[in-house]
Amino acid sequence: MPSSALPQTAVAETLAQKIAALDAARLPQAVRRKCEELLIDVVGLAVTARNEDYVKSVIAACDDDGPCTAIGHTRTLSTAGAALVNGTAIHGEDFDDTFEGGPVHAGAVIVPAVLAACERHGCDGKAALLGIAVGVETMCRLSLVAPTLTHKAGFHPTAVFGTMGAAAGVGAVLGLSPRQLVDALGNAGSMAGGIIEYLAEGAWTKRLHAGWAAQAGIRAALLGRAGFLGPRTVFEGVHGFFHAFAHATAGDFAAVTDGFGAQWVTETLAFKPYPCGTMTHPYIDCARRLGRRVKADDIVEMVCDVGEGTVHRLWEPLAAKQHPANGYAGKFSTPYCIACGFVRGQQGLTVGLSDFSDAAVRDAAALALAAKVRYRIDPQNPYPKNFTGHIRATLRDGSVVEEHQPHMRGGAHEPLTRADIEEKFLLNARHGGWSDARAAAVLKLIAGLFDGQVDLSTLRG
């Protein structure tokens, strides 16, 4: 690209100026409240996964002890190591927050990166609040530039946008200048990655993506602070970020910068009621209601109206989705999630962590029902702006029973309350082996974290 074609002011430069102008004390109360809720949710998720094999593997792979906290573990690690372990654990059960417009999972990337940076560099709670707010906002806004195209290109949006968000968030924590922030973002573009081939057989790599993005963002911010030059046209350039990860250079770049620091999409983050792929949630709600209305043996088939952008991840190949390879693969199988929701609805129960074990996805009744589930693409489906569900069940007597869910519970249209989020935290902490007394003490710590020093020692062990 000839230099004359380069923009006078790049997207990253505009974004960096807006980030550098922010003050934690002036953040809206709604943003602060959302960041507190995010802390509660992610800490509980790190604890619930702390004894899982994939978390043990990541810790075993770290050879860089240091001063930073791996939540739920006695061993302390380097800044990058703690971010990697915590991010992997938080995202591991796919029970973490979602930004519906992306979709991306911001908390599992941004919170580990910011907390590790604060521990390592002695930053206080106000810096942590600013870093989380900036990182989440940056990551979510970037996902709006070219919706659905990153997934279609074979990349995990949380992985690639998360690296950028973490660089911005840690940059805010460390007080980087606009020039340093531009370099941090420019460098982060060459650190991002994360393919979605985990879908083939339920491999663990999706779990790793959030932690890898968190530690990469820390590196990018430190390089920016040290003056390592990155391309200022990292976003819109002909060889830039969106060219690489979305196969496009055109996009709504105004979604990144317009109103940044004045209007906060962070306020709309959704918290999950089920530990599985977000777009399956409205279908689970529909299936649970169906389970209270009809018997499984009376169902001939269930046809779901779906958004085209969800098919390649959650529906195809259909035969494999109807018979998931393992428990983790079940989290990204709408047919299995529907079958599970139906069975739990009949029992008056919810869908929980135990429904995504390797044993659970081999349950004969669930598999028989999943085999009856298929989809059709609805061109009017609003995905990714809104996640909906619609199941049309045909019964043996020829009658049709339908259920429709207009939005995701836990999202902007029907948010979970603070009490709901704290209850989820307590259940997750209990699942991870913490006592209720310890969990209550941690809730108290989180409530005051943004007002004092960042001391995470209570979260160890």
Side-chain angles (χ1 to χ4, degrees):
M1 181 184 231
S3 59
S4 60
L6 294 175
Q8 184 174 355
T9 302
V11 173
E13 291 174 312
T14 301
L15 177 61
Q17 291 286 349
K18 290 176 178 285
I19 291 172
L22 290 174
D23 180 352
R26 297 182 180 178
L27 292 177
Q29 280 301 308
V31 173
R32 179 187 171 114
R33 186 164 54 249
K34 184 65 74 169
C35 291
E36 287 179 359
E37 292 171 350
L38 197 56
L39 270 177
I40 293 169
D41 198 48
V42 302
V43 171
L45 292 168
V47 175
T48 212
R50 72 192 184 109
N51 296 316
E52 298 297 327
D53 287 347
Y54 59 88
V55 176
K56 292 178 180 178
S57 292
V58 174
I59 292 176
C62 292
D63 61 357
D64 52 346
D65 291 13
C68 298
T69 300
I71 298 170
H73 303 276
T74 301
R75 181 185 173 192
T76 56
L77 297 167
S78 70
T79 319
L84 176 65
V85 171
N86 289 331
T88 301
I90 291 163
H91 190 50
E93 295 304 311
D94 231 80
F95 207 179
D96 48 330
D97 61 279
T98 298
F99 176 59
E100 293 173 88
V104 290
H105 306 283
V109 179
I110 305 304
V111 174
V114 166
L115 291 184
C118 286
E119 278 193 292
R120 172 63 181 82
H121 298 280
C123 302
D124 63 14
K126 289 182 180 179
L129 171 60
L130 181 64
I132 292 171
V134 165
V136 170
E137 189 74 8
T138 300
M139 182 175 174
C140 293
R141 282 173 172 262
L142 283 169
S143 74
L144 298 175
V145 172
T148 76
L149 294 184
T150 303
H151 263 139
K152 286 182 178 179
F155 292 100
H156 185 194
T158 294
V160 296
F161 298 125
T163 303
M164 290 296 194
V170 173
V173 166
L174 299 179
L176 268 58
S177 70
R179 177 66 253 180
Q180 291 171 325
L181 281 167
V182 170
D183 286 333
L185 292 168
N187 293 324
S190 287
M191 299 179 179
I195 60 173
I196 61 175
E197 183 60 15
Y198 63 85
L199 290 165
E201 296 176 318
W204 290 356
T205 47
K206 182 178 187 288
R207 291 167 157 148
L208 186 69
H209 289 168
W212 189 261
Q215 61 89 31
I218 292 170
R219 288 284 185 215
L222 292 173
L223 284 166
R225 186 176 71 167
F228 195 95
L229 298 180
R232 67 185 184 92
T233 51
V234 60
F235 294 125
E236 71 272 42
V238 294
H239 304 296
F241 185 82
F242 284 94
H243 168 76
F245 295 114
H247 296 170
T249 52
D252 184 11
F253 291 106
V256 181
T257 56
D258 282 7
F260 192 101
Q263 291 89 41
W264 293 83
V265 301
T266 296
E267 296 177 19
T268 68
L269 279 187
F271 293 103
K272 286 186 177 182
Y274 305 126
C276 51
T278 313
M279 285 72 73
T280 68
H281 286 212
Y283 296 94
I284 294 174
D285 285 337
C286 292
R288 290 178 67 199
R289 293 196 294 269
L290 278 175
R292 296 193 289 267
R293 296 176 62 186
V294 300
K295 296 179 179 179
D297 289 344
D298 291 335
I299 295 175
V300 175
E301 69 171 0
M302 287 189 279
V303 179
C304 303
D305 290 338
V306 305
E308 187 274 335
T310 70
V311 169
H312 71 292
R313 302 193 313 283
L314 301 176
W315 285 99
E316 289 292 350
L318 184 58
K321 295 298 186 182
Q322 291 170 333
H323 199 291
N326 55 32
Y328 192 56
K331 292 175 179 284
F332 312 105
S333 159
T334 310
Y336 172 75
C337 289
I338 286 172
C340 185
F342 186 96
V343 172
R344 292 291 173 258
Q346 286 186 316
Q347 298 168 339
L349 301 172
T350 191
V351 173
L353 290 165
S354 63
D355 293 304
F356 297 97
S357 67
D358 290 351
V361 299
R362 291 193 291 267
D363 179 74
L367 292 176
L369 195 55
K372 299 178 181 181
V373 180
R374 63 183 181 86
Y375 71 92
R376 67 180 187 185
I377 295 173
D378 174 11
Q380 302 305 314
N381 189 286
Y383 174 83
K385 292 182 178 180
N386 187 29
F387 302 162
T388 63
H390 187 191
I391 302 177
R392 183 180 294 101
T394 302
L395 307 184
R396 293 189 184 280
D397 63 6
S399 61
V400 175
V401 181
E402 296 187 59
E403 285 289 348
H404 183 261
Q405 180 80 4
H407 53 254
M408 174 192 169
R409 288 190 307 111
H413 299 286
E414 191 179 345
L416 298 187
T417 66
R418 178 66 168 259
D420 292 332
I421 295 165
E422 290 186 356
E423 178 64 20
K424 177 182 173 183
F425 167 86
L426 292 170
L427 290 171
N428 279 325
R430 194 177 299 152
H431 181 267
W434 277 9
S435 68
D436 288 353
R438 182 172 186 184
V442 169
L443 278 177
K444 185 176 180 180
L445 167 74
I446 292 172
L449 186 72
F450 294 146
D451 295 315
Q453 291 301 307
V454 176
D455 180 359
L456 305 182
S457 57
T458 305
L459 304 184
R460 299 172 187 171

